[in-house]
Amino acid sequence: MTETSTIEQWHDYFGQMFEMYESRLRENFGAHFSELQQLAERCTATWPKALTDLYKIQLLIDLSSRIDEMYRRSQSSLYAYYYFNRLYDIAEKITERVVTVLSKADRQTIRTECADRLEETTKILHDYLCSNPQAVMNWLFSYRYIWWNLLHTPSLCDKEKVRLQRRLKGLGVPAKQLDLARLGIIHL
């Protein structure tokens, strides 16, 4: 993993790391969530700070989606109640971490130095917001927080409005997804 890697490559790499930890995640979420964060810190130790902060946000978004996937898989499990409580705890920690990373980040530098990667970030964030209506994560809060604090530029907002309006016009889109898309438009 290098600073020239694409966001897709970041997600692939992190996916491999997550799979290594996933079985242990179920047993001790707190410890292994910390291990995954430390892994990210080691990977980005020599990168420019703006790119490191963006990478941390990307990893938190990706981890959130993987937690949602674990949630969906565990719904058919006999241990679903046990896992649900743990998944909600880790979801809350991830949300808190997003707030912490963004509050400490130099957002203007990220916008300047990582502008091309912000476009990819908006697409990924849009997909997670609109495709996970039964998620354990509070995607609406994270979506709005990241937009307010990092992505809110005229060009990115215009592109996101187009994506959200396309979703509203889609055939067979579940009502919950339509509601999320409407809230996204109102937010922008």
Side-chain angles (χ1 to χ4, degrees):
M1 186 58 38
T2 68
E3 62 186 82
T4 59
S5 300
T6 65
I7 288 178
E8 185 175 291
Q9 289 169 323
W10 292 352
H11 282 262
D12 290 344
Y13 175 76
F14 185 72
Q16 293 169 4
M17 296 300 106
F18 183 85
E19 288 171 12
M20 287 173 39
Y21 285 94
E22 185 175 0
S23 61
R24 290 188 290 163
L25 269 170
R26 289 190 172 143
E27 294 160 18
N28 188 345
F29 276 77
H32 297 296
F33 176 58
S34 294
E35 284 181 44
L36 289 168
Q37 289 183 90
Q38 290 169 7
L39 175 67
E41 297 284 338
R42 287 192 302 273
C43 284
T44 62
T46 61
W47 295 9
K49 182 167 177 6
L51 189 58
T52 299
D53 289 339
L54 182 59
Y55 180 70
K56 288 177 188 176
I57 293 163
Q58 282 288 334
L59 287 182
L60 292 166
I61 292 169
D62 192 63
L63 181 58
S64 300
S65 71
R66 293 176 192 282
I67 294 297
D68 281 342
E69 180 58 34
M70 287 176 69
Y71 175 80
R72 281 191 290 282
R73 283 196 317 254
S74 66
Q75 284 180 321
S76 60
S77 167
L78 293 174
Y79 302 104
Y81 179 77
Y82 173 75
Y83 289 131
F84 287 174
N85 287 335
R86 288 175 166 243
L87 290 172
Y88 279 109
D89 289 343
I90 198 71
E92 188 175 319
K93 287 179 183 175
I94 291 169
T95 302
E96 290 169 4
R97 185 74 179 136
V98 167
V99 171
T100 301
V101 169
L102 272 174
S103 67
K104 293 179 179 179
D106 182 348
R107 295 176 289 246
Q108 189 55 46
T109 304
I110 294 173
R111 285 185 199 111
T112 304
E113 294 179 7
C114 307
D116 56 331
R117 294 170 193 248
L118 290 181
E119 173 67 25
E120 293 176 83
T121 304
T122 64
K123 290 176 186 172
I124 291 167
L125 198 55
H126 169 87
D127 290 343
Y128 291 145
L129 170 74
C130 293
S131 64
N132 293 307
Q134 301 299 322
V136 66
M137 294 301 301
N138 185 347
W139 281 107
L140 185 59
F141 174 82
S142 295
Y143 174 89
R144 293 174 74 185
Y145 192 84
I146 294 169
W147 269 97
W148 278 328
N149 290 285
L150 180 63
L151 303 172
H152 201 76
T153 64
S155 65
L156 292 177
C157 287
D158 290 345
K159 290 175 184 175
E160 180 64 2
K161 285 177 190 173
V162 168
R163 280 192 289 266
L164 290 167
Q165 288 167 347
R166 248 188 268 134
R167 184 159 304 266
L168 288 174
K169 293 176 184 173
L171 298 175
V173 178
K176 180 68 173 172
Q177 288 183 14
L178 292 174
D179 289 344
L180 289 171
R182 286 184 193 104
L183 288 169
I185 289 171
I186 291 167
H187 161 76
L188 295 171

